[in-house]
């Protein structure tokens, strides 16, 4: 691939510039709902959920807040977070980069929907370790990833953006090395707008 930059600052710049366009075009149809519900079933009532790469908070964080969960939204793009803060001023919205995630607290569940796959393969392995450290024992993790190992090009608003993925076996191994167990993997789910979804649990 190589045409699109994997540099974190370049990817952040795309989201900064495209925040309003992205928000306007982002589907609110909740094609993710079946996966969100499956994830929520594994959580205790009123659980603390970390939405990693939360963007504007719509629709993922909004769904969890509506279901009664305590949500912390983390994103590296201040323009994206500004939209979330305007909509939910009482919300817990924090500017941080998942590559160096160190919040000093733990959560019952972590979701990174359409965000984690912007990391290089090496950065993904490190981030999984960081996410494991932020999960309570028995906590659940859900990520959107690629269907196979490699790099690809996606779009955010009107700009191209970098995507990468490990293989399913590569994810299973990395999770196991960090005390996590793969509990679900579906490549290019036709009922979720062709997203590839991974779920895991901290033993």
């Amino acid at each position: 691939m190589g045409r699109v930059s994997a540099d974190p600052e370049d990817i952040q710049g795309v989201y900064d510039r495209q925040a309003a366009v992205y928000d306007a075009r982002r589907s609110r149809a909740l094609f993710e709902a079946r996966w969100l519900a499956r994830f929520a079933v594994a959580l205790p009532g009123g659980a603390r959920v970390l939405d990693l790469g939360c963007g504007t908070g719509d629709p993922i964080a909004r769904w969890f807040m509506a279901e009664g969960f305590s949500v912390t939204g983390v994103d590296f793009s201040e323009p994206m977070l500004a939209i979330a803060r305007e909509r939910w001023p009482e919300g817990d919205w924090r500017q941080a980069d998942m590559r160096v995630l160190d919040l000093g607290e733990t959560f019952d569940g972590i979701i990174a929907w359409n965000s984690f796959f912007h990391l290089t393969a090496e950065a993904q392995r490190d981030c999984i370790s960081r996410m494991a450290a932020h999960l309570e024992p028995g906590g659940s993790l859900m990520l959107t990833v690629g269907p196979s190992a490699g790099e690809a090009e996606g779009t955010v608003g009107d700009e191209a953006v970098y995507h990468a993925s490990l293989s399913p076996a590569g994810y299973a191994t990395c999770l196991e090395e960090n005390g996590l167990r793969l509990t679900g993997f579906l490549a290019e789910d036709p009922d979720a707008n062709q997203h590839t979804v991974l779920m895991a649990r901290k033993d």
Side-chain angles (χ1 to χ4, degrees):
M1 191 202 65
R3 292 169 293 161
V4 180
S5 174
D7 188 295
E9 290 187 4
D10 292 341
I11 296 171
Q12 182 177 342
V14 171
Y15 276 97
D16 287 353
R17 290 187 297 272
Q18 297 291 325
V21 174
Y22 172 90
D23 182 61
R25 295 180 183 172
R26 177 62 165 95
S27 171
R28 268 71 164 181
L30 274 173
F31 60 81
E32 310 92 344
R34 185 166 57 89
W35 284 103
L36 299 180
R38 179 177 172 182
F39 181 75
V41 164
L43 302 175
R48 297 191 68 215
V49 174
L50 174 61
D51 184 357
L52 199 52
C54 65
T56 67
D58 209 352
I60 304 295
R62 171 171 57 85
W63 188 91
F64 283 104
M65 289 187 288
E67 292 294 316
F69 295 105
S70 174
V71 178
T72 295
V74 168
D75 203 275
F76 64 177
S77 172
E78 277 293 353
M80 300 284 274
L81 289 168
I83 295 172
R85 291 186 182 115
E86 183 178 354
R87 288 190 179 131
W88 299 283
E90 73 287 354
D92 182 10
W93 309 107
R94 308 186 198 180
Q95 198 278 332
D97 189 329
M98 68 175 72
R99 295 170 183 84
V100 291
L101 188 69
D102 185 11
L103 301 179
E105 54 191 299
T106 54
F107 300 84
D108 301 297
I110 299 175
I111 180 169
W113 191 277
N114 286 1
S115 56
F116 177 76
F117 54 34
H118 293 309
L119 277 60
T120 64
E122 181 180 355
Q124 288 187 25
R125 292 185 182 94
D126 182 63
C127 187
I128 285 173
S129 175
R130 291 177 180 276
M131 289 190 288
H134 285 77
L135 269 178
E136 286 283 329
S140 294
L141 173 68
M142 184 161 69
L143 313 170
T144 49
V145 297
S148 58
E151 297 178 310
E153 180 180 308
T155 56
V156 172
D158 297 317
E159 296 187 57
V161 73
Y162 175 86
H163 286 192
S165 184
L166 309 181
S167 67
Y171 282 120
T173 299
C174 184
L175 290 165
E176 185 176 348
E177 290 170 348
N178 288 283
L180 298 165
R181 179 169 42 87
L182 185 68
T183 58
F185 187 94
L186 183 57
E188 298 177 335
D189 182 1
D191 295 324
N193 202 21
Q194 300 300 316
H195 283 67
T196 296
V197 186
L198 175 157
M199 289 186 66
R201 184 176 179 86
K202 185 171 182 177
D203 294 326

